[in-house]
Amino acid sequence: MYTDFHAHILPGMDHGSTSTETTRNQLSAAKELGISTIVATSHFYPDIHRVGRYLEKRELSLKRLQDSVEDPPHIIPGAEVTLTYELPSLPDLEKLCISDTDYILIEVPEYTQTKWIFDALYKISSVRKLRPVIAHIDRYEESIAEELMDMGYAVQINAEALMSIRNRNKWIRKIVQKRIDLLGSDVHSDAKEYKYFSRSLKILKDHIPTLMQNADRILQNRPL
Ligand SMILES: [Fe+2]
């Protein structure tokens, strides 16, 4: 059984699933692949969201999902938090961690001056005492991605990145080197997006046990 560590499946939370119908399709596609646990990581944009309101909305959305989908996979509440300069001082930041853990999924802005990114991540880790998980490492410019992996935080890759024949071996090498720790679908509005996850299970078959063990460890709030 597999864990999908990054998914936008909560209806109405963001530009991922916008209806229970979409969510139902996403969850049945996930179950067909043998995904038993999904970390629900709806976007949290610090510039427009408030933590309290976001959490209320997430709870309602989760309930809506559980009421409308029969026997869903285990859904773990989390968030995909966009890194901003001010994020390290956001009140209640810890409430955006994955379930009861100290791990928090952080999306790094793709086009920006870099220095503040590393300072902000360092503050989240050393001042707020949280453990960043870097979302979709495959999205960033190579030198930034390398520096993020050098920092020693947990790192997640999107299944779609493995579809690129040109880059596939590079990503597999990073997984072997333990510079990438977690696999996510990052599904948004279309259940068909799980086809990438399905293919990645085959492409990564020798490495899936380690990636899934890493997910388990994080969900148990243990170090990698
Ligand atoms: Fe995402």
Side-chain angles (χ1 to χ4, degrees), residues 132-183:
V133 178
I134 307 299
H136 43 54
I137 193 69
D138 45 287
R139 292 266 192 93
Y140 311 124
E141 195 264 305
E142 190 160 1
S143 65
I144 296 177
E146 288 296 330
E147 209 168 332
L148 287 167
M149 289 185 279
D150 284 345
M151 293 184 84
Y153 302 130
V155 170
Q156 177 258 319
I157 189 168
N158 279 0
E160 189 176 356
L162 279 305
M163 302 306 111
S164 155
I165 293 170
R166 192 160 66 93
N167 291 327
R168 185 176 291 168
N169 286 340
K170 173 181 86 173
W171 297 126
I172 293 175
R173 216 164 32 246
K174 306 279 181 211
I175 291 168
V176 171
Q177 292 166 345
K178 301 191 183 306
R179 285 167 74 72
I180 293 178
D181 312 288
L182 300 153
L183 179 66

Side-chain angles (χ1 to χ4, degrees), residues 6 8 43 80 136 186 188:
H6 182 158
H8 299 267
H43 284 286
E80 179 176 11
H136 43 54
D186 204 1
H188 276 74

Side-chain angles (χ1 to χ4, degrees), residues 87-216:
L87 188 69
S89 49
L90 183 79
D92 290 334
L93 179 61
E94 47 288 333
K95 292 186 179 167
L96 298 174
C97 286
I98 296 165
S99 192
D100 301 329
T101 74
D102 304 324
Y103 287 96
I104 183 164
L105 185 70
I106 302 280
E107 173 180 49
V108 175
E110 287 176 48
Y111 306 101
T112 182
Q113 295 290 323
T114 56
K115 192 183 175 314
W116 70 269
I117 291 175
F118 301 102
D119 290 347
L121 285 167
Y122 178 76
K123 282 183 198 152
I124 289 169
S125 152
S126 65
V127 179
R128 300 300 293 262
K129 309 283 182 212
L130 303 180
R131 293 190 266 201
V133 178
I134 307 299
H136 43 54
I137 193 69
D138 45 287
R139 292 266 192 93
Y140 311 124
E141 195 264 305
E142 190 160 1
S143 65
I144 296 177
E146 288 296 330
E147 209 168 332
L148 287 167
M149 289 185 279
D150 284 345
M151 293 184 84
Y153 302 130
V155 170
Q156 177 258 319
I157 189 168
N158 279 0
E160 189 176 356
L162 279 305
M163 302 306 111
S164 155
I165 293 170
R166 192 160 66 93
N167 291 327
R168 185 176 291 168
N169 286 340
K170 173 181 86 173
W171 297 126
I172 293 175
R173 216 164 32 246
K174 306 279 181 211
I175 291 168
V176 171
Q177 292 166 345
K178 301 191 183 306
R179 285 167 74 72
I180 293 178
D181 312 288
L182 300 153
L183 179 66
S185 68
D186 204 1
V187 284
H188 276 74
S189 54
D190 190 348
K192 288 187 193 136
E193 290 167 319
Y194 266 120
K195 71 179 183 288
Y196 298 134
F197 197 93
S198 168
R199 286 188 209 152
S200 72
L201 291 174
K202 295 187 184 89
I203 293 164
L204 295 174
K205 69 176 180 335
D206 295 341
H207 313 290
I208 288 295
T210 306
L211 294 168
M212 296 303 140
Q213 275 164 25
N214 290 338
D216 285 349

Side-chain angles (χ1 to χ4, degrees), residues 48-65:
I48 57 171
H49 288 129
R50 294 290 159 265
V51 174
R53 178 73 194 102
Y54 175 92
L55 295 176
E56 279 169 25
K57 203 173 160 195
R58 189 179 70 183
E59 202 177 309
L60 284 173
S61 180
L62 249 174
K63 188 166 179 326
R64 199 168 135 203
L65 179 159

